[in-house]
Amino acid sequence: MVMVLAALWFGASLLASETLVMLVAFLVVLGTTVVIHEFGHFAAAKWLGMKVEVFSVGFGKRLFGFQWKETDYRLSLLPLGGYVKITGMDPEEDAARQRHPDAYLMRPKWHQFLVLVAGPAMNIVLALAIPFVIGLFFFKAPAYLNQPAVVGAVPIGSSAEEAGIQPGDRIVRFAGIESPTWSKVRDYTAINDGKPVPVTIERNGQRLELTIIPKARQQAGNTVGDAGLLPQDIPAALPVVSAVQPGSPAAQAGLQPQDKLLALDGRPIPNFDWFKQSLQAYENRQVVLTVERKGETLTLTLTPKRIDGEIRIGFVPVPPPPLPLTRERKSLLGAAQHAVNENIRFIVLTGEAFRQIFRGERKVSDTLSGPIGIAKASGDAVKFGGLEGLFFIMGLLSLNLGIFNLLPIPVLDGGHIFLLALDAMAGWVGWRLTDDLKQRFNQAGFAVLMLLMVFVMFNDVTRFWWKPGAAEPPPPPPPAVEKPSTEKAPPR
């Protein structure tokens, strides 16, 4: 199934249809993680000698398949995952089937536990296998991510500028993390939007205690923090115009292809990233752009506006120099360590996000995503990262699916494990959980899951398509601009 869906994704990318690519990427990611989950239940049940009636890739009507021994292996109509049917596992089955010698309920509780835990375990194995294989054969990453956090540039109006951070500052402590790398700074900035983050920087041999408040911005429908901290290792290269969008502020101001951007409101432009982030402070406000055209320096005045969710002036730049990459084939031990570290990183960040929810520092709606959110994230991962991005989001979803299914929530594997453990403990004192009690427990859990599904679906719709009562936010205050002939203003 994975190969078929991968082929569909490749065909979709050739058609250059963003919606189709998003849909097929979603089916690949969700289908693979669910099938792997169900394969875990299937393999454990087979290994323990239980009767498995159906192993299906997809849901709904059976399209084709084959019968081998007692199991029907099939491909079904809806490619949204799969399912496995183990005799005696469904509480609504008739008593005769539940009492079959190879039925699930006729086996020891530790057999039942292994079948239940095998599904989430396979998801966690997949989450570990993806970065392991990438580390072993295809590892590459921006070199600066593992470097000490030394600031190279600070965009105009950014959180970093407001905190008083300057180019050349070395971050020695960030959110309580000593000697952070850029990877740590990036991760903890993203989950601390709108919240004060203590930062210790080293400047000219002295340490300064500052507070930075990352500004919230939208990324694939999710709210993330952005501090405007640009690494020292980003190549310095003046932006050069490749094409100008007709009718845009850039076109109205007279910007032309091959123009080289020198300064923004008198501030030298070190690279395109700095320019792009600095523009965010100038929505609907005039800005002076200094350019070089055929050896002549010109000054253009224009007013940036919001285009596709970002403040832009409407031009396509010549691709900037690529970031220096770390490329290596890790050893078996190194790849295993990389896989474990990546998954621990995701778990820590997810745990911190949920702690912020319980502390009232983060909205649930900004944290949880449903099928639409997963589809959007899958499409964006493919759009910006290709197959590597596809596998990245697949590993992340598989890890979340594995951990979520282990939670003691009725209907989920963790809920069944909880009932199994409770029944075993009750048996020690001569009690037994009745089928009616188990059914009520599962019904309550099903209702809670349905309510959660309705919530995340509504949340996805309002985030991506419909924002009830949304109004255009008021423009931010004018940014403080450093003039060449004056002394730098104190941090705001």
Side-chain angles (χ1 to χ4, degrees):
M1 178 182 181
V2 177
M3 294 300 294
V4 172
L5 290 175
L8 288 174
W9 167 77
F10 180 72
S13 64
L14 290 180
L15 293 174
S17 170
E18 188 171 336
T19 302
L20 189 57
V21 170
M22 180 181 73
L23 177 61
V24 176
F26 170 67
L27 294 178
V28 171
V29 169
L30 183 66
T32 302
T33 53
V34 175
V35 168
I36 285 290
H37 179 96
E38 295 302 325
F39 177 78
H41 294 312
F42 165 82
K46 281 286 190 180
W47 177 58
L48 294 167
M50 296 182 189
K51 184 179 179 181
V52 181
E53 299 177 35
V54 177
F55 179 78
S56 175
V57 175
F59 295 97
K61 183 180 178 181
R62 184 184 191 273
L63 296 179
F64 59 86
F66 62 92
Q67 184 86 20
W68 189 49
K69 297 184 179 179
E70 79 276 7
T71 306
D72 177 26
Y73 298 88
R74 64 175 66 167
L75 182 68
S76 299
L77 181 62
L78 300 176
L80 295 175
Y83 68 93
V84 59
K85 184 177 181 182
I86 302 172
T87 300
M89 201 169 188
D90 186 348
E92 295 184 1
E93 286 182 340
D94 59 76
R97 292 169 61 83
Q98 291 185 1
R99 288 197 298 268
H100 187 281
D102 294 331
Y104 171 82
L105 288 177
M106 298 299 292
R107 293 310 179 94
K109 285 185 170 50
W110 69 273
H111 280 198
Q112 297 176 34
F113 168 77
L114 288 179
V115 170
L116 290 170
V117 81
M122 282 299 296
N123 282 126
I124 295 172
V125 168
L126 177 63
L128 289 166
I130 288 174
F132 175 79
V133 172
I134 289 175
L136 203 59
F137 298 106
F138 313 107
F139 181 80
K140 63 178 181 179
Y144 76 85
L145 286 177
N146 289 321
Q147 299 298 321
V150 179
V151 180
V154 179
I156 297 172
S158 65
S159 301
E161 184 187 60
E162 293 172 356
I165 294 177
Q166 300 177 9
D169 289 349
R170 180 175 179 269
I171 300 174
V172 296
R173 188 184 298 111
F174 189 90
I177 302 171
E178 296 287 341
S179 302
T181 60
W182 276 115
S183 177
K184 294 288 187 184
V185 171
R186 179 193 62 180
D187 290 343
Y188 281 87
T189 297
I191 63 172
N192 281 289
D193 53 290
K195 290 174 280 295
V197 177
V199 181
T200 304
I201 58 108
E202 188 174 86
R203 181 188 301 162
N204 298 326
Q206 294 184 337
R207 292 198 172 192
L208 301 174
E209 302 290 338
L210 304 174
T211 299
I212 192 169
I213 305 177
K215 295 181 179 180
R217 66 176 174 87
Q218 293 297 308
Q219 182 179 20
N222 297 309
T223 303
V224 298
D226 183 6
L229 293 164
L230 297 180
Q232 195 176 49
D233 290 343
I234 293 181
L238 294 174
V240 177
V241 178
S242 174
V244 178
Q245 182 180 349
S248 66
Q252 294 170 7
L255 196 67
Q256 298 180 10
Q258 302 307 314
D259 282 354
K260 184 181 293 184
L261 310 189
L262 302 178
L264 182 71
D265 257 3
R267 296 272 289 270
I269 300 173
N271 51 54
F272 180 72
D273 285 336
W274 181 94
F275 176 77
K276 181 180 177 181
Q277 293 194 33
S278 293
L279 279 182
Q280 307 311 303
Y282 288 94
E283 182 175 12
N284 299 324
R285 289 198 174 89
Q286 246 185 23
V287 63
V288 177
L289 187 62
T290 306
V291 304
E292 180 185 305
R293 180 182 302 164
K294 298 179 180 179
E296 184 181 355
T297 301
L298 304 174
T299 299
L300 307 178
T301 301
L302 46 80
T303 303
K305 65 179 182 180
R306 188 172 294 273
I307 303 174
D308 296 333
E310 287 190 334
I311 312 306
R312 301 179 182 177
I313 62 174
F315 78 94
V316 178
V318 172
L323 288 172
L325 296 178
T326 298
R327 299 176 184 268
E328 60 177 312
R329 294 186 60 174
K330 296 181 179 292
S331 64
L332 285 173
L333 183 60
Q337 186 177 12
H338 170 68
V340 171
N341 289 343
E342 283 295 288
N343 281 272
I344 290 175
R345 170 176 159 244
F346 295 144
I347 292 171
V348 169
L349 291 174
T350 302
E352 176 60 26
F354 277 96
R355 278 194 294 272
Q356 290 175 1
I357 290 175
F358 288 117
R359 292 196 298 259
E361 299 173 354
R362 176 179 290 272
K363 295 180 180 178
V364 178
S365 58
D366 291 337
T367 307
L368 299 182
S369 288
I372 298 173
I374 295 171
K376 183 68 168 62
S378 301
D380 287 344
V382 171
K383 180 179 178 182
F384 297 108
L387 280 176
E388 188 176 338
L390 181 74
F391 284 117
F392 170 82
I393 200 71
M394 185 187 296
L396 184 57
L397 179 63
S398 188
L399 178 66
N400 281 304
L401 185 63
I403 293 175
F404 183 71
N405 263 280
L406 288 174
L407 297 177
I409 299 174
V411 182
L412 299 182
D413 294 324
H416 291 303
I417 292 171
F418 173 75
L419 283 179
L420 197 65
L422 199 61
D423 198 25
M425 289 186 290
W428 295 343
V429 293
W431 296 345
R432 181 180 177 275
L433 297 183
T434 65
D435 292 339
D436 183 62
L437 179 63
K438 294 178 183 177
Q439 187 174 6
R440 290 178 183 276
F441 181 78
N442 286 325
Q443 287 173 344
F446 181 77
V448 170
L449 284 180
M450 289 300 99
L451 288 173
L452 179 62
M453 180 60 69
V454 170
F455 170 78
V456 296
M457 289 288 287
F458 177 78
N459 187 41
D460 284 351
V461 169
T462 54
R463 278 196 296 173
F464 293 109
W465 290 312
W466 174 59
K467 299 182 182 295
E472 188 69 22
V481 179
E482 179 186 357
K483 300 299 181 182
S485 60
T486 61
E487 214 172 294
K488 181 170 176 67
R492 291 182 286 116

